[in-house]
Amino acid sequence: MTALETRPSDAFANDRAHVFHSWSAQGALNPLVVAGAQGSWFWDEAGNRFLDFSSQLVNVNIGHQHPKLVAAIQEQAGKLCTIAPFHANEARSEAARLITEAANLTADAGWDGKGLDMVFFTNGGAEATENAIRMARLHTGRHKILNTYRSYHGATAGAITLTGDPRRWASEPGAPGIVKFWGPYPYRSAFHSTNEVEETERALAHLADVLMVEGASNVAGIILETVVGTNGILVPTPGYLEGVRALCDQHGIMLILDEVMAGFARCGEWFAFQAFGVRPDLVCFAKGSNSGYLPIGGVVIGRHVADSFRDKAYPGGLTYSGHPLACASVVASINIFKEEGIVEHSRMLGADVIGPALADLQAKHPSVGEVRGLGTFWAIELVRNRETREPLVPYNAAGADAKPMGDLAAACKAKGVWPFTHFNRLHVVPPCNTPVDEVRHGLAVIDEALAVADAYVTA
Ligand SMILES: Cc1ncc(COP(=O)(O)O)c(C=O)c1O
């Protein structure tokens, strides 16, 4: 029997017997056996259909099985499946050209030759952040990297040390030279701010203090998620990223923006930093660049950083760096984004559909403490008490403590919407090209399901 002939029951049984799953205790898993997917929907072998309000792991920005993307991969497979990274190749060259073109869209005349001109390809996001911090260290000749709590940067050794959430704990002590600080989060301010202006000022003053006591001249890079993803869709407060850029300029520090989740239309821009008018030195990308149809990621490198490796070798590489099949899928995906206006569609969904609908949910449901986001990148933060802002479930809750969120997710799934939940939040992150009526349908299901969360409200 070939793999494709296995019966559904075999797929499940073989998974349970032989597939070791990410981030999970292996004993109690009950994975859905997915039979197929199209557009913003996927379905199981019994024919149960789910509207994908998670874009899987917030990566299927173009939706499932886009016919032109599938065709481009098939065409490339017929031409050249693989070639070593030291050769040049049409798909890789074009992918790099298109990515840098998108990254430089908002560059102005004052960009100072720091154009984001080069791409180092990886197989995913973690390798992108690993290589970005390596580049910053080698370019500056310094060692320390600063980054925020409430962040995720991947699960390899350096990337998990960067990660500012509980997924890091089991891998500690991690790589040396990585220091954490607090970023802006007005709803749960680390600085007891009462408004966004204060939050920006205090967060920047805090970062300046951290630089002082760590010794700014030791710091190679500051790496931030432009808009924090899994840890809460934390949109930077006005002026914050500009302020971080100014501190970096003052001290000769590389600003690395991790756009693995926030990039490629998710925030209604090609790159999220374009919504905030900042110029990073290095940008990490992965997920939305080809919607995960094949594994790929990378670092977009400012010319000034790339020039450090003009005469001396860059000490890093991967067998599959710039894999032709994956690169062909990036080329096709970017071209489809342009043809179908997917960046603009995502921006419109945020401004005209999701944002207003979530504001209505906040007005209606006592469990909704705050809603925030942009494009197709939104969070509903759930609380038991709006006054105290006590979260619906504790930070990093598991088991019985996490039950309210588990019940909420189950209520969405029972009505055919697959949600993305994390801690006390439900994220609204459908594919960036989801039609308006399907987005409205998903939001209506969430509206009904929120009764589950409302039942826990104490005040
Ligand atoms: C912001 C960010 N950076 C890095 C990563 C790691 O990417 P990967 O899982 O492809 O290694 C992720 C994954 O979710 C992410 O959201």
Side-chain angles (χ1 to χ4, degrees):
M1 193 156 55
T2 71
L4 292 176
E5 288 165 349
T6 51
R7 292 182 304 273
S9 55
D10 293 331
F12 185 83
N14 287 334
D15 179 285
R16 298 308 299 117
H18 304 296
V19 177
F20 195 92
H21 284 258
S22 315
W23 304 116
S24 308
Q26 305 299 308
L29 294 173
N30 184 22
L32 187 79
V33 181
V34 175
Q38 190 68 56
S40 299
W41 296 82
F42 63 97
W43 50 87
D44 67 12
E45 308 216 292
N48 298 308
R49 285 166 55 81
F50 298 96
L51 180 60
D52 192 350
F53 252 40
S54 65
S55 299
Q56 300 302 296
L57 290 175
V58 199
N59 65 298
V60 189
N61 292 13
I62 206 167
H64 295 275
Q65 297 298 112
H66 193 293
K68 286 189 183 165
L69 191 42
V70 172
I73 295 167
Q74 287 167 335
E75 193 187 323
Q76 180 65 35
K79 238 194 255 175
L80 182 71
C81 278
T82 190
I83 202 74
F86 49 77
H87 295 298
N89 163 256
E90 191 191 352
R92 185 188 300 144
S93 304
E94 182 63 357
R97 188 186 74 76
L98 288 171
I99 290 167
T100 55
E101 185 181 78
N104 286 307
L105 269 182
T106 50
D108 54 42
W111 190 273
D112 239 7
K114 292 185 178 179
L116 294 161
D117 288 342
M118 306 284 285
V119 180
F120 178 72
F121 287 107
T122 65
N123 299 303
E127 290 171 351
T129 58
E130 293 281 356
N131 280 284
I133 63 174
R134 177 187 280 149
M135 287 172 188
R137 284 172 165 161
L138 292 166
H139 174 69
T140 58
R142 304 173 182 180
H143 184 67
K144 287 190 189 182
I145 301 287
L146 267 49
N147 78 303
T148 56
Y149 291 107
R150 302 192 197 274
S151 65
Y152 183 70
H153 295 286
T156 52
I160 200 72
T161 308
L162 292 173
T163 286
D165 80 20
R167 282 173 282 188
R168 185 188 72 253
W169 298 347
S171 298
E172 287 178 321
I178 293 173
V179 178
K180 298 255 175 318
F181 61 96
W182 291 101
Y185 181 10
Y187 190 67
R188 299 190 187 281
S189 170
F191 315 107
H192 308 288
S193 309
T194 55
N195 59 59
E196 289 199 328
V197 175
E198 256 177 30
E199 184 73 355
T200 298
E201 280 171 13
R202 292 179 186 186
L204 289 171
H206 160 67
L207 176 54
D209 279 351
V210 173
L211 285 168
M212 176 177 73
V213 294
E214 290 295 335
S217 60
N218 301 313
V219 178
I222 296 177
I223 177 166
L224 300 174
E225 288 182 72
T226 311
V227 174
V228 174
T230 304
N231 280 273
I233 320 281
L234 305 178
V235 182
T237 46
Y240 180 71
L241 288 177
E242 293 94 316
V244 176
R245 174 74 267 180
L247 285 168
C248 287
D249 288 342
Q250 186 185 341
H251 297 293
I253 295 167
M254 296 298 102
L255 176 59
I256 308 166
L257 293 180
D258 179 348
E259 301 226 354
V260 166
M261 194 177 271
F264 286 94
R266 185 55 60 192
C267 291
E269 303 286 343
W270 283 97
F271 286 92
F273 68 80
Q274 291 161 344
F276 302 98
V278 283
R279 304 171 192 171
D281 299 292
L282 295 151
V283 187
C284 304
F285 69 91
K287 299 179 185 260
S289 62
N290 71 341
S291 293
Y293 282 37
L294 288 150
I296 195 164
V299 187
V300 193
I301 311 165
R303 168 63 60 192
H304 53 305
V305 180
D307 280 348
S308 281
F309 306 101
R310 188 167 285 280
D311 300 318
K312 77 175 181 220
Y314 176 64
L318 300 151
T319 299
Y320 303 130
S321 176
H323 193 280
L325 272 186
C327 284
S329 70
V330 170
V331 171
S333 179
I334 291 177
N335 287 330
I336 295 164
F337 270 37
K338 288 181 184 170
E339 284 162 30
E340 300 184 4
I342 292 175
V343 173
E344 296 76 11
H345 185 77
S346 175
R347 192 183 311 153
M348 179 280 292
L349 283 177
D352 299 345
V353 182
I354 304 175
L358 294 192
D360 289 348
L361 293 187
Q362 185 174 11
K364 182 170 166 190
H365 293 280
S367 60
V368 176
E370 187 180 62
V371 299
R372 53 179 178 263
L374 73 175
T376 37
F377 207 31
W378 289 82
I380 304 174
E381 175 141 2
L382 297 160
V383 293
R384 287 174 187 253
N385 182 324
R386 276 186 173 170
E387 281 297 304
T388 63
R389 302 187 178 180
E390 180 193 351
L392 181 65
V393 300
Y395 185 78
N396 200 31
D401 285 348
K403 186 173 180 310
M405 287 303 293
D407 289 350
L408 174 64
C412 293
K413 290 175 191 172
K415 297 209 175 289
V417 169
W418 196 273
F420 183 103
T421 57
H422 184 258
F423 295 175
N424 66 320
R425 284 169 273 104
L426 189 151
H427 291 187
V428 175
V429 283
C432 303
N433 58 350
T434 306
V436 170
D437 59 332
E438 293 183 1
V439 172
R440 288 198 199 286
H441 168 69
L443 291 166
V445 167
I446 289 173
D447 184 7
E448 276 182 59
L450 280 172
V452 171
D454 289 344
Y456 289 92
V457 170
T458 54

